[in-house]
């Protein structure tokens, strides 16, 4: 499916006015066209981050007539026909029909996961203040929608840290390819595959939390509920438009079944909740289902820039030194758009790290690596401005000037929620310990390697 | 968006052909028969002369029609981008006449096949004794709905003094005005100093 | 001193990129409740300024707040008046006859379906002609720039424009500025030709 790669980000030529504000935010210069004319997307370059969708203000006016009716546009975009919100030129193709079909099919057992960034943004679509923290209402809404199991990507984020932390330690101590890159951002992965295929060995072989969760649903989760994996329909609620692309990568089926069958953005989930008529704001809080939902604060941090690094450092430090880290809060990795470098001392080892937020910022560092000038061990890259909280599938601000305040509020809710968790380190999560004991064996072991790791595809000849 | 017919005072020559065409168009019998029966002309538009202008006036088919919103029996309803009168519902209370800010409405005797329709109960008493009273109902421009050739007034006008203002006309009109305004501003070198 | 002239918002076609943020900001500013995300925009965006895109010009057009406003002078129900140096449509009084739309030489007035807090405003008695049920017709009224009369920060379009292409035109001040400029220039060079 991914090989077809038609891209899920589109620009409606009937609505585009050619202001090219999308081209200003596109990190890969994939938007092509003259000023004042309709733009098109170069799908080979596009990393499907959806930032163009977030900035676009060329809406369909009721005072104008377009060759294609609103009804037809809704259909083309896979949006509900009851949708009342305005349509804009830049959009992503939705997946609601697939999910509705699975929910209506009694032969399918639906398992849904929610990315960490969803709980700090979805309430915005129901008029609550920007960045409202609503994990309980989110779980309640998913339950009312009729999903059979409500699991959490945060659990898989902890699992990712176990594998990725171990991989980092192994590469450092046993002389693997360094620096190692995080691999949880699918837009970043696609960027490396196309623009820097010669650097693919630097990418961690770990699947992203979304894909790890999907794998566990159809193996461990299937066993727990005595469900045949082929009857499981696995859905991911994501702040990201590129996660749809990642889910469709053909190699993401190491369990024998496609890890994730459908991805909904936060906006799409809100459409579904509204269409069904659920009054989100008055929902009584519910909780996620055991066992694939317990998470540490570290796992939750994945949605903000620096969060994967912070979680990985805590676990890697303790793996290397076998002592508890003195301060779990690693302030230097936190922040906004740009590059943050630092060093962590773990025993005799000095682990040098780089955190990059905003894909454009990574280019000089990749050039540095190609020149052989890189002296660091580990780099976290997130494509969107301040990480997944600012993703292309998040609620779209009517006025782009509100983006900054929404990012700020979502990040502050993220850290508040992190503070609320009992466990601060992924390896201390009891359900993570249990899953290795009962099912996976050990990190980087045969089973975990087979199920939780992947390979990458060069998308053009190395430069 | 409702459509309406607008007269152009620059072009109107005041010939009243529109009034005649209107009454003929709303007859349910032939003109010849109407003439034989001595039926008066009843036009739904009026030619008005003032010192400033001469032009025919007729219903503007307001979106939020005050006539309809004051009618206590629901006799004025919206249909096919036009406000129409359901004559069988009208009781002749005349509130609509007072409500219309343009003075476009008129009360006329109701007739069918050239015959007045008389009321069963209400009689007129006078020195001549008791007489039957015809129904008197509100009549106004209905854009000649159902007439294949379209509005009769537009068709007959020798001076081409009518336009039909519908959503296409308005869209074109607004766009043209906006474009020429934008062009004028863009051309003027001094309108912007900063 | 003379009379105080009505100010208005004017776009600079040299700066405008045609992004329509001004139109969205206009619609958002005229909602009674504060809306932040697109998902909360439950009624169509009905702006009061309109982007014009032709071959060599891109700019929004909006009301000039004419001193002798033709729209107000043609209105049969006196729904358009001057308030605080702004030409304002009283939507309660408007009957949707569209005379003002035809009268305005700029095309600055639209007919907008009326909503309140996301719900259509229905007419009291005017119904759609239907055999089996009474369906009240949604109200539709003339709508145009009111210079964000109820907004403390002034016009939302000016604030939202990413290219600062919109500005508040105070023509009297601009006239004074230009007068002063030409006097300064003349004063500086006059000795060269008034020998």
């Amino acid at each position: 499916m991914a090989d077809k790669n038609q891209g899920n980000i589109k620009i409606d030529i009937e609505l585009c006015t050619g202001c090219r504000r999308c081209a200003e935010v596109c990190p890969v210069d994939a938007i092509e066209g003259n000023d004042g004319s309709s733009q098109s997307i170069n799908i080979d370059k596009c990393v499907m981050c959806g930032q163009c969708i977030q900035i676009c203000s060329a809406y369909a006016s009721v005072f104008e007539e377009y060759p294609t009716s609103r009804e037809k546009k809704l259909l083309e975009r896979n949006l509900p026909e009851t949708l009342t919100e305005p349509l804009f030129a830049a959009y992503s193709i939705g997946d609601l029909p697939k999910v509705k079909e699975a929910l209506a099919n009694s032969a399918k057992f639906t398992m849904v996961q929610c990315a960490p960034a969803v709980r700090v943004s979805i309430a915005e679509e129901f008029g609550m203040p920007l960045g409202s923290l609503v994990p309980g209402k989110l779980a309640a809404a998913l339950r009312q929608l009729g999903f059979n199991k409500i699991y959490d990507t945060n659990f898989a984020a902890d699992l990712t840290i176990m594998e990725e932390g171990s991989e980092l330690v192994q590469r450092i101590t046993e002389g693997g390819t360094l620096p190692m890159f995080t691999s949880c951002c699918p837009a970043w992965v696609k960027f490396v595959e196309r623009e820097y295929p010669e650097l693919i060995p630097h990418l961690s072989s770990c699947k992203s939390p979304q894909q790890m969760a999907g794998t566990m649903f159809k193996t461990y989760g299937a066993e727990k509920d005595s469900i045949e994996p082929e009857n499981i329909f696995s859905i991911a609620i994501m702040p990201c438009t590129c996660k749809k692309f990642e889910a469709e990568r053909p190699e993401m089926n190491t369990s024998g079944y496609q890890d994730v069958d459908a991805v909904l953005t936060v906006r799409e989930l809100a459409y579904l909740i509204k269409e069904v008529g659920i009054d989100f704001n008055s929902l009584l809080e519910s909780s996620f289902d055991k066992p694939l939902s317990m998470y540490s604060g570290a796992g939750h941090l994945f949605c903000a820039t620096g969060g994967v690094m912070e979680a990985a450092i805590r676990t890697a430090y303790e793996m290397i030194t076998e002592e508890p880290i003195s301060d779990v809060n690693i302030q230097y990795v936190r922040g906004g758009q740009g590059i943050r470098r630092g060093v962590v001392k773990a025993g005799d080892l000095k682990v040098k790290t780089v955190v990059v937020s905003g894909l454009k910022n990574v280019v000089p560092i990749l050039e540095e690596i190609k020149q052989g000038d890189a002296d660091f061990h580990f780099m976290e890259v997130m494509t969107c401005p301040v990480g997944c909280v600012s993703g292309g599938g998040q609620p779209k601000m009517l006025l782009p000037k509100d983006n900054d305040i929404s990012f700020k509020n979502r990040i502050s809710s993220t850290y508040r929620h992190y503070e609320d968790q009992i466990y601060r380190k992924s390896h201390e999560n009891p359900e993570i310990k249990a899953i290795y004991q009962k099912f996976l064996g050990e990190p980087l072991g045969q089973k975990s390697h087979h199920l939780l790791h992947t390979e990458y595809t060069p998308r053009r000849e190395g430069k | 968006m409702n459509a309406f017919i607008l007269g152009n005072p620059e072009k109107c020559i005041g010939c009243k052909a529109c009034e005649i065409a209107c009454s003929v168009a709303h007859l349910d019998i032939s003109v010849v028969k109407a003439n034989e029966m001595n039926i008066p002309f009843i036009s739904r538009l009026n030619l008005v002369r003032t010192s400033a202008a001469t032009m025919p006036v007729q219903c503007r088919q307001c979106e939020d029609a005050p006539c309809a919103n004051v009618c206590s029996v629901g006799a004025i309803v919206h249909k096919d981008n036009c406000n129409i009168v359901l004559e069988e519902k009208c009781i002749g209370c005349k509130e609509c006449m007072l409500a219309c800010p343009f003075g476009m409405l008129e009360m006329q005797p109701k007739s069918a096949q050239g015959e007045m329709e008389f009321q069963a109960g209400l009689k007129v008493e006078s020195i001549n004794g008791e007489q039957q009273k015809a129904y008197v109902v509100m009549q106004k421009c209905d854009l000649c709905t159902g007439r294949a050739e379209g509005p009769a007034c537009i068709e007959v006008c020798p001076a081409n003094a009518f336009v039909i203002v519908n959503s296409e006309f308005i869209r074109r009109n607004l766009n043209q005005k906006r474009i020429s305004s934008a062009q004028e501003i863009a051309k003027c070198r001094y309108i912007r100093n900063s | 001193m003379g009379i105080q002239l009505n100010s208005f918002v004017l776009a600079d076609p040299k700066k405008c990129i045609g992004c329509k943020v001004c139109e969205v900001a206009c619609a958002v500013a005229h909602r009674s409740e504060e809306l932040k995300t697109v998902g909360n925009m439950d009624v169509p965006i009905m702006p009061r300024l309109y982007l014009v895109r032709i071959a060599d010009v891109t700019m929004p057009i909006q009301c000039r707040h004419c001193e002798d406003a033709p729209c107000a002078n043609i209105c049969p129900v006196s729904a358009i008046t001057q308030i605080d140096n702004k030409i304002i449509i009283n939507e309660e009084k408007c009957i949707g006859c569209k005379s003002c739309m035809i009268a305005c030489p700029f095309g600055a007035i639209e007919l907008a379906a009326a909503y309140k807090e996301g719900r259509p405003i229905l007419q009291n008695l005017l119904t759609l002609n239907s055999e089996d049920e009474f369906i009240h017709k949604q109200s539709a009224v003339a709508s145009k720039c009111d210079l964000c009369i109820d907004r403390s920060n002034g016009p939302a379009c000016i604030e939202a424009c990413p290219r600062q292409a919109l500005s508040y035109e105070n023509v009297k001040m601009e006239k004074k500025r230009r007068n002063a400029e030409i006097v300064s220039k003349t004063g500086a060079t006059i000795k060269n030709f008034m020998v």
Side-chain angles (χ1 to χ4, degrees):
Chain A
M1 276 180 281
D3 292 330
K4 277 194 280 167
N5 184 21
Q6 292 306 299
N8 64 56
I9 310 291
K10 308 270 181 195
I11 293 177
D12 184 331
I13 55 166
E14 293 174 8
L15 302 184
C16 178
T17 60
C19 73
R20 286 188 55 79
R21 292 234 289 157
C22 51
E24 286 167 22
V25 298
C26 177
V28 291
D29 299 324
I31 296 171
E32 299 169 351
N34 296 325
D35 287 346
S37 308
S38 297
Q39 305 293 302
S40 61
I41 294 178
N42 179 330
I43 56 166
D44 292 327
K45 283 186 180 175
C46 176
V47 293
M48 288 161 277
C49 68
Q51 288 303 311
C52 50
I53 297 172
Q54 297 290 0
I55 192 98
C56 180
S57 49
Y59 72 97
S61 171
V62 285
F63 298 139
E64 268 175 68
E65 275 198 26
Y66 304 96
T68 311
S69 67
R70 179 178 167 92
E71 290 68 34
K72 195 135 178 269
K73 286 188 195 295
L74 289 172
L75 207 64
E76 280 172 6
R77 298 173 183 214
N78 277 342
L79 296 174
E81 55 186 12
T82 52
L83 193 76
T84 54
E85 68 174 50
L87 300 179
F88 290 80
Y91 66 98
S92 70
I93 306 269
D95 287 293
L96 273 174
K98 267 197 269 184
V99 174
K100 283 191 225 169
E101 200 183 298
L103 281 170
N105 182 350
S106 56
K108 286 285 176 197
F109 191 85
T110 50
M111 293 186 176
V112 64
Q113 57 169 310
C114 292
V118 181
R119 66 210 70 194
V120 297
S121 67
I122 184 138
E124 296 169 5
E125 292 287 59
F126 302 94
M128 290 169 76
L130 298 180
S132 295
L133 174 68
V134 289
K137 284 185 190 294
L138 173 61
L142 293 169
R143 210 168 289 288
Q144 274 205 25
L145 286 170
F147 290 102
N148 298 109
K149 283 286 171 190
I150 295 152
Y151 287 146
D152 205 329
T153 317
N154 285 12
F155 170 83
D158 278 338
L159 197 55
T160 304
I161 287 301
M162 296 304 292
E163 295 294 323
E164 200 163 326
S166 306
E167 186 184 359
L168 176 66
V169 172
Q170 191 181 56
R171 287 196 192 205
I172 292 174
T173 54
E174 295 174 19
T177 307
L178 287 172
M180 185 174 91
F181 305 157
T182 55
S183 58
C184 35
C185 171
W188 152 240
V189 168
K190 187 188 177 234
F191 178 77
V192 174
E193 288 176 326
R194 174 173 157 93
E195 306 299 334
Y196 292 90
E198 64 277 28
L199 299 184
I200 284 176
H202 292 265
L203 282 169
S204 160
S205 63
C206 290
K207 287 182 181 176
S208 73
Q210 166 179 284
Q211 298 305 126
M212 285 198 187
T215 313
M216 297 322 293
F217 290 177
K218 294 195 181 178
T219 53
Y220 188 65
E223 260 180 46
K224 278 266 168 194
D225 282 301
S226 309
I227 309 276
E228 287 303 317
E230 68 254 37
N231 293 334
I232 294 176
F233 192 85
S234 153
I235 303 118
I237 314 294
M238 291 286 142
C240 177
T241 42
C242 192
K243 284 284 170 190
K244 291 175 187 283
F245 167 79
E246 182 183 59
E248 289 185 355
R249 293 178 69 120
E251 69 275 18
M252 292 292 181
N253 61 357
T254 44
S255 66
Y257 305 94
Q258 200 67 19
D259 297 340
V260 176
D261 296 300
V263 174
L264 296 183
T265 62
V266 176
R267 292 175 71 186
E268 286 177 273
L269 177 62
Y271 301 150
L272 187 60
I273 292 170
K274 286 177 187 172
E275 196 183 11
V276 171
I278 296 170
D279 179 2
F280 188 86
N281 296 11
S282 59
L283 283 174
L284 292 178
E285 302 204 347
S286 177
S287 55
F288 289 73
D289 291 321
K290 301 229 167 330
L292 300 171
S293 68
M294 181 163 222
Y295 56 99
S296 73
H300 178 64
L301 289 182
F302 266 58
C303 62
T305 172
V308 179
M309 179 62 73
E310 189 163 348
I313 289 174
R314 290 177 195 172
T315 293
Y317 179 94
E318 299 193 3
M319 281 176 176
I320 294 168
T321 62
E322 294 178 348
E323 280 172 19
I325 193 163
S326 55
D327 183 4
V328 289
N329 293 312
I330 301 156
Q331 295 292 345
Y332 82 87
V333 299
R334 301 180 186 178
Q337 198 156 357
I339 302 169
R340 289 179 296 284
R341 295 174 190 257
V343 184
V344 178
K345 276 188 73 177
D348 300 333
L349 258 177
K350 280 184 180 172
V351 181
K352 292 187 178 179
T353 66
V354 179
V355 173
V356 180
S357 192
L359 190 58
K360 258 193 173 151
N361 298 315
V362 81
V363 172
I365 297 175
L366 296 180
E367 291 299 329
E368 202 177 289
I369 295 167
K370 270 172 68 178
Q371 303 300 316
D373 298 337
D375 68 337
F376 57 89
H377 301 97
F378 188 33
M379 174 163 74
E380 176 207 285
V381 181
M382 296 194 189
T383 298
C384 292
V386 294
C388 313
V389 288
S390 54
Q394 290 283 43
K396 173 179 164 68
M397 295 299 122
L398 278 159
L399 301 176
K401 72 175 172 61
D402 286 329
N403 280 345
D404 287 344
I405 179 83
S406 73
F407 298 167
K408 200 177 130 258
N409 291 0
R410 290 170 193 167
I411 286 199
S412 90
S413 287
T414 298
Y415 284 101
R416 189 154 50 85
H417 190 51
Y418 150 76
E419 301 280 350
D420 289 343
Q421 303 309 311
I422 304 167
Y423 304 101
R424 297 294 174 84
K425 302 164 194 166
S426 300
H427 55 280
E428 289 178 354
N429 177 347
E431 290 291 353
I432 289 288
K433 289 181 186 168
I435 205 170
Y436 277 107
Q437 248 167 34
K438 292 186 203 159
F439 185 74
L440 283 170
E442 52 178 8
L444 305 185
Q446 201 196 352
K447 196 165 186 181
S448 44
H449 192 272
H450 172 67
L451 290 176
L452 305 179
H453 290 252
T454 188
E455 287 169 350
Y456 304 102
T457 321
R459 290 175 195 271
R460 98 174 165 196
E461 296 297 307
K463 280 188 269 192
Chain B
M1 190 186 286
N2 291 353
F4 66 95
I5 298 167
L6 186 62
N8 182 347
E10 304 267 295
K11 288 187 177 175
C12 177
I13 54 172
C15 71
K16 287 198 171 194
C18 50
E19 287 196 6
I20 296 166
C22 178
S23 28
V24 171
H26 288 92
L27 281 174
D28 54 0
I29 50 173
S30 74
V31 189
V32 180
K33 181 128 190 258
N35 192 36
E36 283 167 6
M37 293 172 75
N38 207 13
I39 290 169
F41 278 132
I42 299 173
S43 172
R44 294 160 186 231
L45 81 173
N46 295 110
L47 186 84
V48 177
R49 292 173 205 270
T50 70
S51 54
T54 293
M55 66 181 281
V57 290
Q58 65 246 75
C59 173
R60 293 290 169 88
Q61 312 292 352
C62 305
E63 302 296 326
D64 301 352
C67 55
N69 279 312
V70 81
C71 179
S72 46
V73 294
I76 306 173
V77 293
H78 183 259
K79 190 189 178 190
D80 301 333
N81 294 331
C82 181
N83 297 323
I84 59 165
V85 182
L86 304 174
E87 289 187 7
E88 66 280 8
K89 281 194 178 177
C90 177
I91 56 169
C93 77
K94 302 173 291 292
E95 283 193 13
C96 54
M97 287 183 77
L98 291 176
C100 175
F102 301 99
M104 301 297 194
L105 309 181
E106 189 72 89
M107 289 286 159
Q108 303 282 8
K110 192 178 173 204
S111 63
Q113 302 293 316
E115 301 287 352
M116 293 222 194
E117 286 183 48
F118 289 102
Q119 304 182 42
L122 181 59
K123 304 281 189 293
V124 182
E125 284 180 35
S126 68
I127 43 167
N128 303 327
E130 202 174 71
Q131 282 174 322
Q132 284 186 302
K133 184 178 181 187
Y135 283 102
V136 174
V137 293
M138 200 271 271
Q139 288 184 342
K140 69 170 198 68
C141 170
D142 58 1
L143 301 177
C144 287
T145 304
R147 190 174 182 271
E149 303 84 350
C153 52
I154 300 183
E155 194 186 26
V156 78
C157 179
N160 242 335
F162 287 102
V163 284
I164 183 138
V165 182
N166 53 20
S167 54
E168 293 79 43
F169 177 93
I170 289 199
R171 195 59 32 232
R172 210 169 46 238
N173 181 274
L174 292 182
N175 282 343
Q176 276 166 4
K177 292 190 286 195
R178 286 173 194 165
I179 285 172
S180 56
S181 170
Q183 280 170 330
E184 281 157 19
I185 291 166
K187 262 188 272 170
C188 176
R189 286 174 63 191
Y190 300 108
I191 208 160
R192 281 276 159 204
N193 260 69
S194 46
Chain C
M1 183 56 207
I3 50 152
Q4 194 189 341
L5 297 178
N6 299 342
S7 296
F8 58 98
V9 175
L10 191 66
D12 184 346
K14 290 195 277 301
K15 291 182 180 169
C16 176
I17 55 171
C19 69
K20 301 220 276 190
V21 164
C22 52
E23 293 194 14
V24 178
C26 176
V28 173
H30 288 91
R31 285 291 293 253
S32 52
E33 64 283 52
E34 194 183 30
L35 300 185
K36 288 292 184 189
T37 80
V38 171
N40 286 292
M41 195 71 191
D42 44 10
V43 308
I45 291 178
M46 288 180 291
R48 292 147 189 248
L49 74 174
Y50 320 98
L51 182 72
V52 170
R53 280 172 72 225
I54 45 174
D56 35 7
V57 188
T58 296
M59 67 181 289
I61 292 292
Q62 62 282 78
C63 175
R64 303 280 179 262
H65 295 267
C66 307
E67 301 301 321
D68 313 322
C71 56
N73 281 308
I74 204 168
C75 179
V77 293
S78 304
I80 307 179
T81 55
Q82 180 167 322
I83 302 171
D84 190 20
N85 276 102
K86 300 167 180 74
I87 304 295
I88 302 294
I89 297 175
N90 181 334
E91 292 181 5
E92 311 255 304
K93 279 191 179 178
C94 175
I95 56 170
C97 76
K98 303 180 288 290
S99 303
C100 55
M101 297 171 72
I102 305 293
C104 172
F106 303 101
I109 307 181
E110 278 285 357
L111 182 77
Y115 291 88
K116 188 166 192 184
E117 281 159 11
R119 294 212 169 75
I121 299 177
L122 300 180
Q123 303 195 36
N124 284 340
L125 297 172
L126 177 56
T127 56
L128 307 184
N129 187 32
S130 155
E131 289 299 307
D132 15 86
E133 50 182 342
F134 279 109
I135 303 167
H136 287 258
K137 185 175 177 255
Q138 184 176 5
S139 174
V141 292
S143 148
K144 70 163 197 72
C145 168
D146 59 2
L147 293 170
C148 288
I149 189 166
D150 295 324
R151 194 168 179 272
S152 52
N153 292 342
C157 53
I158 298 181
E159 204 177 281
C161 178
R163 292 293 187 272
Q164 288 78 47
L166 291 157
S167 58
Y168 209 73
E169 297 296 329
N170 183 327
V171 282
K172 275 207 166 169
M173 267 170 55
E174 180 61 13
K175 170 189 149 49
K176 279 187 184 166
R177 194 193 63 73
R178 290 183 191 188
N179 283 165
E181 188 180 272
I182 197 61
V183 167
S184 306
K185 284 179 179 170
T186 313
T189 53
I190 197 139
K191 55 183 175 291
N192 299 334
F193 56 89
M194 292 287 276
V195 272

